[in-house]
Amino acid sequence: MKGKRGRVRLNVGGRVFETTASTLASAGRDTMLGAMIDASWNHGDGDGEGGVDEYFIDRDPECFAVLLDLLRTGALHVPPHVADGVLCREALYYGLLDRVRASRWGPFDGDRLRLAASVAGSAAGDGTAVRAAPDGGCCVAHGGAVRVYNWVMEERRAVHLDHAPVNDAAYLDEATLLVAARERPGTGRRDGGVAAFSALTGDLRHRFRVAHDRHVRSFTPGALAFDNRCKVFASCKGRFNEYGIGVWDCTTGEQADFFYEPPGCALGDADKLQWLDGTSTLMAATMFPRTDSSFISLLDFRDKKNVAWSWSDVGTPASLEDKHVLHAIAMEDGRSLCVINQYDDLGFLDIRSSGGAGGVRWRSRSKLAARKKKKAAARGEETCYPKLAAHGGQLFASTNDTISVFSGPDHVLTSTVRGSDAGAICDFSIGGDRLFALHNEENVVDVWETSPPPII
């Protein structure tokens, strides 16, 4: 090699490229291109024209042109005729897949989302839940199976737990997928439960068991969550009124605890669990229409298990416009919860006040939501219950076929996201710098991502 700044000629699949050794070195020594110009690894042919080192690589020249431009400019520009799957295959060969992935989108910003793809599901029936993977992929629960997609939305092997109907799924990490499936009575076997699968191969890794009085019991799990200390949580309903929250150590797979449901606090039916780092508590929310009333609790699993905070709409005066909480999330400030009702009103609960004193502070959007729902009903469209998410200081709420984005301390509506014409959004999830929206009618997943910031 003539030195790190010398010229290098590469013949890739019959097409000749010329660049500098420093450009190739920017790929990193742990990549093929970086190692190629490392003096300790390879000295090149040494007989190129004009004393320029020359290499032959038997790969796709179109994709190499895109990857070389990425190393030169730091920006990824993919021509329409280059397929994502082919580009990613070539990037993997050169050791540049992480570089390509990082350049596809910028830091997540709900106000700058663009529709990157719409993926039609192949499973029969409607999808029930979508979960974002840490690496930019996702999974979609369809009946008795969970379909898994990598970050270029290529489908991997589906996972299932005895083909029992799936209630929830969650990514423990980018390689581990948790599945909660309900027990089917009358089968004569312990199907359903909670299990960990490889998100890459679909192989079953571990099945989590629940024991009461040292006897292993069958159970139906509802919602899933996990903390920052390798603990997995699931709302559980047993055959013998063993209702509560099961806890497992995800390293050993063994049951670590069980928080039995106290009187007046619905836990076994909880359809939303969320771990709160700031208070080291687990939010468990059981909401209408699963129950006639809504219950939200913060559970403390330390030395003496207790309900640290709770709220319920039991006893709330009924009216013609009775508001039922349909979904809830803990806000990132660690001080409040956000809820949404059937009129798409947002409400906030202060978890620093004892027993939710002061009640829900509602912010009315009812008139706007009512007009939209009447129009949808007139068109014969099916509606879905609203869902909430918080990410990066922004609040997201799905209503029919639209996701609204709220920003700032006062949660001002700053943008709306509406994708494919595939019906109402039944679920959405944010992770891996992407937002995934699952549409109910056509079983379509919209993939939203933030464009990289402009170069100029």
Side-chain angles (χ1 to χ4, degrees):
M1 183 61 61
K2 301 297 185 286
K4 288 289 184 182
R5 296 187 179 180
R7 290 159 56 195
V8 180
R9 187 175 294 124
L10 302 106
N11 184 330
V12 181
R15 180 176 167 184
V16 177
F17 298 85
E18 195 164 315
T19 185
T20 64
S22 60
T23 296
L24 299 181
S26 68
R29 294 187 63 180
D30 58 344
T31 67
M32 175 190 167
L33 297 177
M36 181 182 291
I37 56 89
D38 194 306
S40 63
W41 185 81
N42 196 336
H43 292 277
D45 295 342
D47 57 355
E49 294 181 8
V52 178
D53 285 332
E54 185 169 332
Y55 301 84
F56 177 77
I57 306 174
D58 191 18
R59 301 297 294 191
D60 187 324
E62 294 290 338
C63 291
F64 184 80
V66 175
L67 298 174
L68 182 58
D69 183 64
L70 173 61
L71 294 178
R72 286 169 170 165
T73 66
L76 182 68
H77 300 285
V78 184
H81 63 277
V82 176
D84 277 349
V86 177
L87 178 64
C88 292
R89 180 196 66 197
E90 295 298 292
L92 179 63
Y93 174 81
Y94 293 109
L96 297 174
L97 187 57
D98 287 342
R99 183 79 64 96
V100 169
R101 183 163 52 192
S103 63
R104 289 295 297 267
W105 56 78
F108 186 86
D109 183 350
D111 292 325
R112 296 180 57 244
L113 293 175
R114 66 176 181 86
L115 183 62
S118 292
V119 180
S122 57
D126 295 335
T128 56
V130 62
R131 297 292 179 262
D135 63 353
C138 73
C139 70
V140 181
H142 295 95
V146 179
R147 298 192 173 266
V148 184
Y149 299 86
N150 63 15
W151 74 275
V152 293
M153 297 307 290
E154 294 175 333
E155 189 169 354
R156 291 172 170 156
R157 179 183 167 193
V159 304
H160 64 86
L161 197 56
D162 306 319
H163 295 287
V166 176
N167 282 336
D168 200 3
Y171 281 92
L172 192 60
D173 53 53
E174 64 182 46
T176 308
L177 179 63
L178 303 178
V179 174
R182 63 177 177 263
E183 179 190 25
R184 291 176 295 192
T187 60
R189 62 176 185 270
R190 290 193 179 104
D191 57 1
V194 178
F197 293 86
S198 168
L200 307 178
T201 65
D203 294 330
L204 176 64
R205 288 182 173 176
H206 184 76
R207 200 158 187 159
F208 299 93
R209 305 293 185 183
V210 165
H212 300 284
D213 297 325
R214 300 183 180 181
H215 295 288
V216 175
R217 305 287 193 187
S218 59
F219 68 102
T220 288
L224 291 169
F226 50 87
D227 66 6
N228 53 8
R229 296 182 180 179
C230 229
K231 292 289 192 300
V232 174
F233 304 89
S235 54
C236 300
K237 294 172 61 177
R239 293 185 182 180
F240 302 100
N241 296 322
E242 299 136 341
Y243 284 23
I245 305 295
V247 188
W248 298 268
D249 187 314
C250 64
T251 302
T252 65
E254 298 300 320
Q255 182 179 344
D257 207 341
F258 196 92
F259 197 117
Y260 289 94
E261 180 178 291
C265 186
L267 297 181
D269 281 315
D271 45 8
K272 173 68 176 180
L273 299 180
Q274 183 180 351
W275 180 257
L276 282 63
D277 285 332
T279 58
S280 294
T281 56
L282 180 74
M283 184 194 78
T286 308
M287 294 163 287
F288 184 88
R290 178 163 291 191
T291 56
D292 292 335
S293 300
S294 299
F295 301 85
I296 304 177
S297 305
L298 298 184
L299 309 180
D300 189 340
F301 283 84
R302 286 170 288 194
D303 294 338
K304 294 182 179 180
K305 297 192 294 290
N306 66 87
V307 178
W309 180 94
S310 65
W311 170 88
S312 174
D313 59 7
V314 174
T316 301
S319 68
L320 294 177
E321 294 186 356
D322 196 15
K323 297 179 179 181
H324 297 289
V325 171
L326 304 181
H327 202 242
I329 58 162
M331 299 299 289
E332 293 173 308
D333 60 13
R335 301 190 298 269
S336 60
L337 306 180
C338 180
V339 297
I340 191 168
N341 63 24
Q342 73 270 36
Y343 303 112
D344 301 334
D345 297 328
L346 297 179
F348 296 89
L349 283 160
D350 189 343
I351 62 175
R352 297 169 298 178
S353 62
S354 177
V360 181
R361 294 178 288 108
W362 292 107
R363 294 178 51 185
S364 178
R365 301 171 66 211
S366 301
K367 293 181 180 179
L368 175 63
R371 287 198 298 268
K372 288 183 177 180
K373 289 183 177 181
K374 286 182 180 178
K375 290 180 180 179
R379 294 192 297 265
E381 297 175 357
E382 186 177 353
T383 59
C384 292
Y385 290 121
K387 296 290 180 69
L388 296 168
H391 188 90
Q394 294 179 310
L395 177 64
F396 300 79
S398 65
T399 53
N400 293 327
D401 61 351
T402 302
I403 295 177
S404 300
V405 184
F406 303 86
S407 305
D410 295 326
H411 306 106
V412 176
L413 177 65
T414 52
S415 62
T416 56
V417 172
R418 186 178 185 275
S420 57
D421 188 17
I425 296 171
C426 62
D427 197 19
F428 73 99
S429 181
I430 303 172
D433 290 334
R434 280 175 162 176
L435 184 150
F436 299 90
L438 176 62
H439 293 266
N440 187 50
E441 290 183 10
E442 302 296 335
N443 197 16
V444 169
V445 177
D446 283 342
V447 184
W448 296 85
E449 58 189 35
T450 304
S451 302
I455 299 174
I456 299 176

